Amino acid sequence: TAHASATIDLLSTEQLQSHCANLKEAGKPNADEQVVRILCRDVEALTRLLTWVDGAGLPAFKESRGNMDEAYQIWKRELVLVSQNLAQTSKLLREVPRRKTNVRIRPGDWALDLNGNGDISTWERHLFATPKAQVESGPSMPSDDPDFYQSTTINPIIRIDAADLDWSLAYHQFAQGLAEFILAYDLRGERLVLVDASRAKRALLLLQAGIRSSNALRVQVLAETDDDEEWLPNPRQQQQSFPLAMDEQTFATWKELLDGVALLLAGRTLAGVPENSPDASRVRGLCEAGRGIDVQRFFNDPPTELSLNFSGLQRYCTNPTTRKPLSLLWKLMDRSRRSGTNEWQVLRHFYWVN
């Protein structure tokens, strides 16, 4: 594929830092420079957060002397800033034109002092490395074992395109949704007490926005016809480095997952399993067999208290009806488990946990 000559390469730590410094002094950015600014902003935000965790966050718990409420408030103040930053970056991501860019990155070669201690440790040097496809064992990333990265990661070059922008946007929206839900509660002794129901409602809207962005990503990827330093590929693209085999079945499962979660968040289905399902025992204690949780109501009318035994969730248990049946997501989980593959777990990792 032919590209304009003004390629922006962020293939090393030096190139990343140089472009980030130069853009701070530049005027109105073009589309490619907008992408670089977002990358720089995210790296700066991560550095600030990890530096805060080491310098103030962890010491707050160590010095709490059992008074976890005060330490929790310190973390909440930082989380407010994180949520605000995610919202601002999401806005910038929405403003970038959706097209193939001239920005090429190799994050696995970005070696940065992320926690601000003046040293670049092994895990910092390899934090942005890409897991090899089908690597399913070994220590979890990040690791301080240099040999671990030699055998389990790669450092590909990626040319950012429209799909990558939606991929990043979904990440930011899901992360902010989680932050907003946490901020809805205060820790008081051993209880999480609701203090701001509006944040729980905002979390629902952000999760729904993330689902829409992820679906836009799926559509964008399937529509791509080029094959040039891809990140997340469609089944026809070979020049890619995504650590999951993205075949036709994976895209079908992805759509099924997104559709199922969207219906749950919209209050059109209930989270539960049928009474005769082999998974019924797994949800026992949440709802009676055959009933399901109204997820939309959970966010719009959040519980006044949360506990680790989920005791506050019973009031959201509802009998399924023809207009609001049980979600079919349990069938997806059951099918993935029966297939003997890790497709469900990997999709969950990439689109929910991260």
Side-chain angles (χ1 to χ4, degrees):
T1 305
H3 295 284
S5 57
T7 298
I8 301 178
D9 279 340
L10 307 178
L11 309 183
S12 67
T13 306
E14 293 74 20
Q15 288 179 329
L16 173 70
Q17 292 175 330
S18 175
H19 279 287
C20 289
N22 291 338
L23 280 177
K24 286 183 178 180
E25 308 299 327
K28 185 176 180 180
N30 60 33
D32 290 339
E33 290 169 341
Q34 283 179 279
V35 172
V36 175
R37 280 190 169 178
I38 290 169
L39 285 168
C40 296
R41 180 185 177 89
D42 274 344
V43 171
E44 183 178 347
L46 179 62
T47 302
R48 182 192 179 283
L49 176 62
L50 294 179
T51 299
W52 178 87
V53 168
D54 269 15
L58 292 179
F61 280 113
K62 293 176 182 177
E63 298 166 7
S64 64
R65 295 189 178 90
N67 183 12
M68 300 296 288
D69 296 16
E70 183 177 342
Y72 189 81
Q73 290 302 318
I74 293 174
W75 277 77
K76 278 193 68 173
R77 286 194 290 271
E78 182 64 21
L79 192 57
V80 169
L81 299 178
V82 169
S83 182
Q84 291 172 346
N85 183 74
L86 288 167
Q88 293 163 1
T89 305
S90 293
K91 180 176 182 296
L92 295 175
L93 279 164
R94 289 192 296 269
E95 293 172 352
V96 180
R98 292 308 193 254
R99 62 168 179 77
K100 193 86 170 183
T101 75
N102 294 308
V103 181
R104 299 165 74 239
I105 63 174
R106 186 160 54 200
D109 280 354
W110 297 347
L112 303 166
D113 176 18
L114 294 169
N115 61 7
N117 67 354
D119 180 48
I120 301 177
S121 61
T122 300
W123 71 267
E124 288 173 311
R125 188 173 299 278
H126 298 282
L127 182 65
F128 300 110
T130 300
K132 287 182 179 178
Q134 310 308 323
V135 171
E136 299 171 0
S137 60
S140 301
M141 297 176 68
S143 170
D144 279 320
D145 178 8
D147 294 334
F148 165 67
Y149 296 100
Q150 295 297 320
S151 60
T152 62
T153 64
I154 55 176
N155 292 340
I157 295 176
I158 300 164
R159 186 182 291 271
I160 296 175
D161 59 20
D164 300 328
L165 297 173
D166 285 322
W167 184 79
S168 179
L169 178 58
Y171 264 69
H172 285 75
Q173 290 165 328
F174 289 140
Q176 191 192 355
L178 175 61
E180 286 296 310
F181 188 78
I182 293 172
L183 289 169
Y185 289 85
D186 265 356
L187 179 66
R188 295 178 185 170
E190 297 181 355
R191 300 176 302 144
L192 284 171
V193 179
L194 182 68
V195 292
D196 190 346
S198 67
R199 288 193 181 273
K201 295 178 181 179
R202 194 174 307 138
L204 173 62
L205 297 177
L206 286 162
L207 293 177
Q208 290 174 319
I211 291 293
R212 290 192 295 271
S213 296
S214 190
N215 191 54
L217 159 64
R218 186 186 61 82
V219 173
Q220 286 270 13
V221 172
L222 281 174
E224 289 181 358
T225 57
D226 63 347
D227 193 2
D228 181 16
E229 298 174 336
E230 307 294 336
W231 169 233
L232 202 162
N234 63 41
R236 303 178 300 277
Q237 294 170 315
Q238 302 300 316
Q239 305 300 316
Q240 53 86 19
S241 53
F242 201 64
L244 173 67
M246 300 298 289
D247 55 20
E248 297 287 352
Q249 181 56 54
T250 302
F251 273 87
T253 302
W254 185 3
K255 183 179 188 303
E256 192 175 353
L257 171 67
L258 293 177
D259 290 347
V261 175
L263 289 172
L264 275 177
L265 295 177
R268 294 172 59 186
T269 59
L270 302 172
V273 297
E275 192 170 357
N276 60 352
S277 166
D279 290 314
S281 61
R282 297 183 180 213
V283 296
R284 199 163 287 150
L286 289 179
C287 296
E288 296 176 10
R291 306 184 80 202
I293 292 175
D294 188 330
V295 176
Q296 184 191 57
R297 184 179 160 220
F298 171 80
F299 284 100
N300 284 333
D301 181 21
T304 55
E305 287 189 15
L306 282 175
S307 62
L308 292 178
N309 64 4
F310 305 110
S311 59
L313 298 185
Q314 279 78 10
R315 74 184 184 98
Y316 301 100
C317 294
T318 305
N319 289 321
T321 65
T322 53
R323 297 189 64 181
K324 187 179 290 191
L326 290 175
S327 171
L328 295 180
L329 283 176
W330 70 271
K331 286 188 176 181
L332 173 61
M333 292 185 286
D334 183 62
R335 190 173 67 245
S336 296
R337 185 171 59 249
R338 290 175 185 273
S339 70
T341 68
N342 281 331
E343 181 181 64
W344 167 261
Q345 289 87 346
V346 175
L347 279 173
R348 181 181 62 185
H349 177 77
F350 272 91
Y351 295 104
W352 293 102
V353 178
N354 281 11

